[in-house]
């Protein structure tokens, strides 16, 4: 399945320049990823842009991902200058870990500043992430009521502002948009089912059918129970019709509205009604699964 996303090199180059300029002003780059698809929701360009800059990876929407797999992802992602934290921005879970992780990443820098006689200051951060990964919700939750705008600073583009969070962090509010350019259709599929791509640019029935097939292969009982199916039929078109009939999703003549069923499956997957899943697997788990096949 091939999902096409408009990808503009000119826009990408502009976003890249904005990020590079802002990076000179910050101590830590906070990269938001979808915990269900930590690979697919990332942008390989960010690795090149950040270089050795301390990075705090936020695995957002962790309430929708498999808990055990998220912990494996954290273990795999953690390095000397990289920390990974699982967060649910809707409920605010995991957000208290952000200042702690930022402090660990900048401990050496702050020690050097102190040795030079500099007064302690807040850790300066910026947030990166592809569209629809929850960046705005994360910033709003992190900022909360304790935030105070500290005004424009030298070197900051007009419209960008430092927002002080409590007394420990300052966030550079820079709306940079970075889309990944992907060749693998599986990446497109995973971005589509998790809601990162607008539904206007892909075939909803096709994506939903592939998702239903994956769910039947990985967790057939929840599909059978949720949609009150008598049996699990691996003929996906027939299953979609049966789900529609059971739910009364009919048009004139008693025909099943298959597109409405497709929307339902996508909606319930995204909301976590069909269970918690991680579609991108860390190496440790991939190796185990590969050895079993």
């Amino acid at each position: 399945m091939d999902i096409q996303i408009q990808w503009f090199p000119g826009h990408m180059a502009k976003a890249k320049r904005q990020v590079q300029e802002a990076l000179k002003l910050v101590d830590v780059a906070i990269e938001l990823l979808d915990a269900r698809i930590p690979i697919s929701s990332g942008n390989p360009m960010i690795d090149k842009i950040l270089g050795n800059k301390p990075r705090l990876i936020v695995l957002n929407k962790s309430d929708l991902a498999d808990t055990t797999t998220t912990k494996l992802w954290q273990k795999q992602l953690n390095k000397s200058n990289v920390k990974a934290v699982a967060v649910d921005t809707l409920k605010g879970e995991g957000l208290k870990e952000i200042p702690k992780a930022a402090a660990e990443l900048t401990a050496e820098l702050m020690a050097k500043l102190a040795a030079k006689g500099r007064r302690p200051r807040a850790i300066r951060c910026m947030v990166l992430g592809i569209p629809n990964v929850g960046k705005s919700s994360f910033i709003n939750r992190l900022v909360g009521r304790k935030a105070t705008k500290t005004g424009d600073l030298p070197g900051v583009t007009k419209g960008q502002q430092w927002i002080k969070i409590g007394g420990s962090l300052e966030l550079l509010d820079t709306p940079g948009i970075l889309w990944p350019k992907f060749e693998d259709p599986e990446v497109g599929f995973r971005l589509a089912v998790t809601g990162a791509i607008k539904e206007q640019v892909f075939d909803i029935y096709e994506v939903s059918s592939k998702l239903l097939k994956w769910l039947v292969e990985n967790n057939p009982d929840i599909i059978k129970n949720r949609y009150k199916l008598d049996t699990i039929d691996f003929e996906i078109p027939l299953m979609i019709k049966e789900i529609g009939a059971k739910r009364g999703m009919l048009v004139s003549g008693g025909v099943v509205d298959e597109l409405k069923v497709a929307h339902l499956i996508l909606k319930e997957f995204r909301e976590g009604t069909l269970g918690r899943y991680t579609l991108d697997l860390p190496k440790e788990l991939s190796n185990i699964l590969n050895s079993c096949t």
Side-chain angles (χ1 to χ4, degrees):
M1 184 189 65
D2 188 17
I3 295 176
Q4 297 294 329
I5 294 180
Q6 291 180 317
W7 192 83
F8 303 105
H11 292 187
M12 198 67 156
K14 181 181 178 182
K16 182 180 177 182
R17 284 195 303 272
Q18 288 178 338
V19 171
Q20 286 174 327
E21 288 301 312
L23 271 177
K24 298 172 185 176
L25 308 170
V26 303
D27 307 312
V28 177
I30 300 176
E31 181 184 8
L32 240 67
L33 301 175
D34 188 322
R36 297 167 293 178
I37 50 170
I39 296 173
S40 302
S41 61
N43 186 329
M45 183 186 288
I46 289 178
D47 290 331
K48 296 178 181 177
I49 295 173
L50 296 185
N52 294 322
K53 176 73 70 175
R55 188 188 327 191
L56 175 51
I57 294 176
V58 173
L59 295 171
N60 193 26
K61 305 182 183 180
S62 60
D63 58 311
L64 300 174
D66 178 75
T67 304
T68 302
T69 310
T70 297
K71 289 177 181 176
L72 289 174
W73 268 117
Q74 286 179 268
K75 180 181 175 183
Q76 181 172 311
L77 292 168
N78 280 326
K79 299 173 186 174
S80 59
N81 67 332
V82 180
K83 297 285 181 185
V85 176
V87 164
D88 171 11
T89 53
L90 291 180
K91 297 176 183 175
E93 293 176 0
L95 288 176
K96 290 181 180 178
E97 299 300 315
I98 302 300
K100 295 177 187 176
E104 289 178 25
L105 287 167
T106 57
E108 188 177 337
L109 170 65
M110 294 305 172
K112 287 180 180 178
L113 292 176
K116 293 179 180 178
R118 301 277 290 276
R119 294 176 62 185
R121 63 166 174 79
I123 299 165
R124 296 167 183 165
C125 309
M126 68 176 291
V127 182
L128 296 166
I130 68 170
N132 302 319
V133 78
K135 193 170 63 164
S136 296
S137 298
F138 170 76
I139 291 172
N140 291 339
R141 266 287 190 170
L142 195 61
V143 168
R145 294 181 180 177
K146 296 180 181 178
T148 54
K149 291 186 177 181
T150 58
D152 294 334
L153 293 178
V156 181
T157 305
K158 186 178 180 181
Q160 295 177 341
Q161 284 189 304
W162 288 99
I163 303 171
K164 198 163 188 177
I165 303 166
S168 60
L169 295 182
E170 281 186 350
L171 191 67
L172 182 59
D173 185 12
T174 54
I177 296 175
L178 294 171
W179 258 121
K181 184 178 184 180
F182 54 86
E183 310 294 339
D184 185 355
E186 281 300 311
V187 172
F189 166 70
R190 289 166 186 170
L191 288 168
V193 298
T194 53
I197 302 174
K198 291 181 181 178
E199 293 184 353
Q200 293 90 328
V201 302
F202 64 86
D203 187 317
I204 292 171
Y205 181 85
E206 187 179 1
V207 168
S208 187
S209 296
K210 183 171 179 175
L211 173 62
L212 183 58
K213 182 175 185 293
W214 186 90
L215 288 167
V216 166
E217 291 171 350
N218 287 274
N219 197 351
D221 288 342
I222 200 165
I223 297 300
K224 185 178 179 182
N225 295 333
R226 175 65 185 167
Y227 300 119
K228 297 179 172 56
L229 304 177
D230 298 325
T231 58
I232 289 294
D233 194 329
F234 284 87
E235 290 292 330
I236 299 303
L238 295 178
M239 191 179 296
I240 286 176
K241 288 179 181 177
E242 187 178 353
I243 292 171
K246 292 276 186 180
R247 288 294 182 97
M249 294 180 168
L250 308 174
V251 292
S252 58
V255 177
V256 170
D257 187 339
E258 296 179 23
L259 188 59
K260 195 171 183 179
V261 178
H263 275 287
L264 172 70
I265 293 166
L266 280 176
K267 177 178 179 289
E268 296 203 327
F269 175 81
R270 291 170 182 170
E271 292 174 348
T273 307
L274 300 179
R276 299 172 63 154
Y277 302 98
T278 303
L279 304 179
D280 286 339
L281 300 180
K283 291 177 184 176
E284 187 174 334
L285 194 54
S286 295
N287 291 338
I288 293 171
L289 292 174
N290 290 334
S291 66
C292 295
T293 56

